[in-house]
Structures are given as C-alpha cells and as structure tokens.
Amino acid sequence: MDSKVAITLEHLTKTYIEGDREHAVLNDVHASIARGASVAIRGRSGSGKSTLLNLIAGIDVPDRGSVVVDGTDVTALDERRRTLFRRRHIGFVYQAFNLIPTLSVADNVRLVLELNRVTGAKAEHRIDELLDAVDLLKRKQSRPDVLSGGEQQRVAVARALAHRPSLILADEPTGNLDDDAAGKVLAVLERLLRQTGGTLLIATHSDRVARSCDLTLALSGGRLDRQETA
Ligand SMILES: Nc1ncnc2c1ncn2[C@@H]1O[C@H](COP(=O)(O)OP(=O)(O)OP(=O)(O)O)[C@@H](O)[C@H]1O
Ligand SMILES: [Mg+2]
C-alpha cells in the first residue's frame, strides 16, 4: 500500500435501472486522492456526487470497480465488515445534519466515541474538547431540535470527527445554511481537521467551499475530472 494515497478509485461504475431505462451515474471512474488533501466534488444536481460519496463510504456498492481507502478494498468487504470499517475510519456529515433527536448534543457525540470504545473520563474530556472547538460547550445538554441549523451542523461536524477518522466525507454540509452559518461550519470543520488530520471529500454547489479546498473533482456524464481550483 502507498501510504501517501488515501483513496484509490478504479473502474468505478454505478448504473441505476428504472423500468427499461439504464442510467449510468458513474462510468469507469478513476481517481487517486492524496492523504491529507481536501477535495471538492462538484457537478450538477443528479451528476452522482452523493452516489460517489456513498460508494466510498461503503454505504452502497458499485456494479464494477473498486474503492480502496487507506489500503483496504472496501468493495471486497461484506456488509458487516464495511460497517465496522466505516465506524472506525470514516466520518460522515450530511446536508440534513442527521443528529439523533432523542439524544442530547453530548450524547450524539458520545455515541460515536462508544462505537470506537472510548468511554468514561476519556470520553467526557473528548466531548468537552470537541464541543468547545465548535463553540457549543454551553449547549452540551440541549436536544438538537432547539439548536439552529448552523449549530446542529457544528454538532454534526464534532460528531463526525470525534474518533479522528482518517477520511471525512461531507455531502453538501452547508447546503441548508445561510452564508454566515455556512462560514462558521466550514471554519470549525477546518479547525477540527487541523487537530485530527485526515482527508476531506466535500460534495458542494458552493464556490466558496470549493475555493477552500486543495483540489476540485468535477462529475459530468459519469466521468470524474480533475480541475484546478479557481
Ligand atoms: N436508488 C436510486 N435508484 C434510482 N436512481 C437513483 C438512485 N439513487 C440515485 N439515483 C439517480 O442517480 C443520479 C445521481 O444521483 P445523486 O444523488 O448521486 O446526485 P447528486 O450529484 O448528489 O445530486 P444533488 O446535487 O441533487 O444532491 C440521479 O439521476 C438520481 O436520480
Ligand atoms: Mg447529492
């Protein structure tokens, strides 16, 4: 394994079939992403950004081709092993925040730590450190639904990076937010990434988000092309 490479995609192909119509969302995609890079995934609505992130996370499986993350071919794992791999190595941030509404802010973060066997005083300390980093320590005991969208997304960022995953996948994380809230979410994401390290893939329609990344990959017609960041 090449330790400088975080993600390798080879011959990645995903086709959806609806009735008698075939729609090739990803058509023989190849890419190699360096460890520690931040990468914007761009493309029109329906171009396959979410499909690509879900394949890399092992949430979905391709028709053909492989996804290698940190030297592990996730496409060769069965569903149980993919889930275990995802829990340990990947942090996911969704457009719709996806916090667990019945758990407090602290317990949403705690859940990810527990899944990675961080408990007790260590977990308490880490939760405080994370919530402080996203400027929400005072809201530790709040339920997510009393927070603003931007605040919820900052909790989701803290949760996604809690276990210091080597890969962070974010699917339009600022898509539901105004500019001010989006800026704060991006800032805390960058702050936590600096602390934990890791490679970031971020699907976005935002020029501002793309400009903050090292590299842009553009999806169009089932292909993924490298673009210079504008
Ligand atoms: N489960 C599914 N069954 C059939 N078609 C699907 C399925 N999931 C996605 N698609 C289709 O695949 C294409 C790519 O969808 P995807 O959600 O990856 O696009 P996207 O780039 O993330 O779009 P957006 O910017 O709107 O989020 C779309 O045409 C979509 O309709
Ligand atoms: Mg999408």
Side-chain angles (χ1 to χ4, degrees):
M1 138 189 187
D2 182 345
S3 63
K4 289 189 183 133
V5 176
I7 303 170
T8 309
L9 310 177
E10 276 181 354
H11 299 295
L12 198 65
T13 300
K14 182 77 182 177
T15 301
Y16 289 113
I17 298 168
E18 280 185 308
D20 55 3
R21 201 179 136 269
E22 277 196 4
H23 179 48
V25 180
L26 301 174
N27 188 5
D28 204 33
V29 161
H30 291 260
S32 172
I33 293 167
R35 189 178 298 272
S38 61
V39 181
I41 310 287
R42 308 207 67 181
R44 294 167 58 168
S45 181
S47 61
K49 301 180 295 297
S50 297
T51 301
L52 179 65
L53 292 185
N54 290 339
L55 291 175
I56 293 171
I59 293 167
D60 200 359
V61 288
D63 302 322
R64 206 165 76 81
S66 64
V67 175
V68 177
V69 176
D70 287 338
T72 297
D73 184 349
V74 293
T75 39
L77 303 177
D78 62 25
E79 193 172 347
R80 194 184 74 87
R81 288 197 171 81
R82 280 206 310 277
T83 301
L84 292 174
F85 184 84
R86 183 162 60 244
R87 266 184 206 162
R88 178 75 199 86
H89 296 274
I90 295 177
F92 216 116
V93 184
Y94 302 89
Q95 180 170 356
F97 324 134
N98 289 14
L99 298 170
I100 297 172
T102 53
L103 295 181
S104 69
V105 161
D107 287 345
N108 265 275
V109 178
R110 191 188 319 279
L111 197 59
V112 169
L113 293 172
E114 276 175 1
L115 288 171
N116 283 277
R117 298 198 180 86
V118 180
T119 55
K122 258 193 169 168
E124 289 312 317
H125 179 259
R126 181 75 179 135
I127 290 165
D128 284 0
E129 180 182 59
L130 285 157
L131 292 179
D132 191 38
V134 302
D135 200 19
L136 285 169
L137 194 51
K138 287 189 182 136
R139 312 306 293 274
K140 194 175 167 181
Q141 300 307 337
S142 300
R143 292 286 174 89
D145 62 1
V146 303
L147 303 182
S148 72
E151 289 167 344
Q152 290 185 52
Q153 196 63 308
R154 274 147 52 205
V155 176
V157 167
R159 177 179 66 172
L161 280 87
H163 55 309
R164 305 175 195 276
S166 58
L167 177 59
I168 296 95
L169 302 174
D171 195 351
E172 297 189 45
T174 60
N176 285 358
L177 304 175
D178 68 27
D179 283 352
D180 183 45
K184 283 185 186 154
V185 165
L186 267 187
V188 299
L189 180 56
E190 284 167 2
R191 185 180 309 157
L192 280 179
L193 253 180
R194 272 197 302 277
Q195 285 177 13
T196 60
T199 308
L200 172 69
L201 254 66
I202 184 165
T204 185
H205 290 287
S206 154
D207 290 337
R208 174 182 179 177
V209 172
R211 274 196 305 272
S212 75
C213 292
D214 301 326
L215 171 76
T216 294
L217 295 175
L219 266 171
S220 169
R223 299 286 179 164
L224 189 62
D225 292 306
R226 191 174 277 250
Q227 286 183 344
E228 292 309 315
T229 300

